[in-house]
């Protein structure tokens, strides 16, 4: 399994097949090149770019899309290639085993209604990774090899990310949801995570491939 981190919250996973998670408006459209399947955690524009998906489907009609029914209901144009998923579900996508966790987006403000958000535990025969979307949901009854931890967002504070990594106790952790930070701000947050998360942590540049 090779993981390429694209801008913000987008991951491209290659090995058994090509699986892309959360190709949003901030991420490079090249992340979708040759994709066999796409996983969407929730409806926000920084995690789901309908135009990019439509362009990819025009080139690759065999592409398959997986998301919660609440998300798919907003995009009937993808109905023929879509499969609804919900927390607790397990399925195969692009040759990987995927288990769905979570349920709700983290609270942004009490005045803003919460939406559905799911996290994905993605595994092949030798390893796994966890993408939580916009939440700090800890996957139950599993060991996480590679965790992607949100670094900055309107719905979080850094101490929550540190506690999230501590709770998951992965083999290693990488920054996710990082495009809203300046370079200087990212260094401050990274320093705290490196010291306090309790695991090997790194913040990699977009386009970096992790073996």
């Amino acid at each position: 399994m090779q993981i390429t981190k694209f801008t913000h919250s987008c991951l491209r996973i290659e090995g058994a097949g090509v699986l892309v998670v959360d190709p949003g408006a901030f991420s490079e459209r090249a992340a979708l090149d040759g994709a066999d399947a796409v996983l969407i955690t929730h409806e926000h524009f920084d995690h789901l770019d309908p135009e990019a998906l439509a362009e990819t489907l025009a080139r690759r009609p065999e592409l398959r899309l997986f998301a919660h029914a609440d998300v798919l209901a907003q995009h009937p144009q993808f109905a023929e290639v879509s499969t609804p998923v919900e927390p607790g579900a397990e399925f195969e996508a692009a040759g990987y085993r995927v288990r769905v966790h979570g349920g709700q987006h983290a609270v942004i403000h009490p005045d803003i209604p919460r939406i559905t958000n799911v996290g994905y535990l993605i595994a092949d025969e030798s390893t796994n990774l966890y993408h939580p979307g916009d939440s700090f949901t800890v996957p139950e009854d599993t060991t996480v090899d590679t965790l992607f931890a949100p670094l900055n967002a309107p719905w979080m504070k850094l101490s929550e990310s540190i506690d999230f990594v501590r709770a998951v106790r992965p083999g290693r952790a990488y920054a996710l949801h990082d495009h809203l930070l300046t370079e200087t701000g990212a260094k401050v947050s990274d320093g705290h995570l490196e010291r306090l998360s309790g695991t090997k942590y790194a913040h990699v540049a977009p386009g970096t491939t992790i073996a």
Side-chain angles (χ1 to χ4, degrees), residues 85-101:
V85 300
E86 59 183 18
E90 295 188 26
F91 60 94
E92 184 174 301
Y96 301 94
R97 300 185 307 279
V98 182
R99 187 187 306 169
V100 186
H101 296 269

Side-chain angles (χ1 to χ4, degrees), residues 101-102 130 132 135-142 163-165 167-169:
H101 296 269
Y130 182 57
S135 79
F136 291 119
T137 300
V138 176
E140 299 178 353
D141 303 320
T142 190
D163 289 343
F164 174 58
V165 179
V168 176
R169 300 177 64 186

Side-chain angles (χ1 to χ4, degrees), residues 2 11 18 30 39 49-50 64 72 76 84 88 92 96 130 143 168 179 181 211:
Q2 287 192 329
L11 302 179
V18 179
L39 309 180
D49 183 345
R64 291 297 173 262
L72 297 179
E92 184 174 301
Y96 301 94
Y130 182 57
T143 298
V168 176
H179 190 57
L181 271 177

Side-chain angles (χ1 to χ4, degrees), residues 15-38:
V18 179
L19 180 63
V20 179
V21 187
D22 279 5
F26 295 152
S27 60
E28 299 81 358
R29 294 194 175 188
L32 287 163
D33 290 348
D36 298 305
V38 172

Side-chain angles (χ1 to χ4, degrees), residues 81-147:
V81 300
S82 296
T83 300
V85 300
E86 59 183 18
E90 295 188 26
F91 60 94
E92 184 174 301
Y96 301 94
R97 300 185 307 279
V98 182
R99 187 187 306 169
V100 186
H101 296 269
Q104 285 191 304
H105 191 286
V107 175
I108 301 173
H109 187 276
D111 290 350
I112 299 176
R114 296 179 74 180
I115 61 171
T116 300
N117 177 92
V118 295
Y120 295 106
L121 184 73
I122 301 161
D124 63 11
E125 66 280 355
S126 61
T127 190
N128 67 36
L129 71 89
Y130 182 57
H131 187 308
D134 281 8
S135 79
F136 291 119
T137 300
V138 176
E140 299 178 353
D141 303 320
T142 190
T143 298
V144 175
D145 297 322
T146 301
L147 172 67

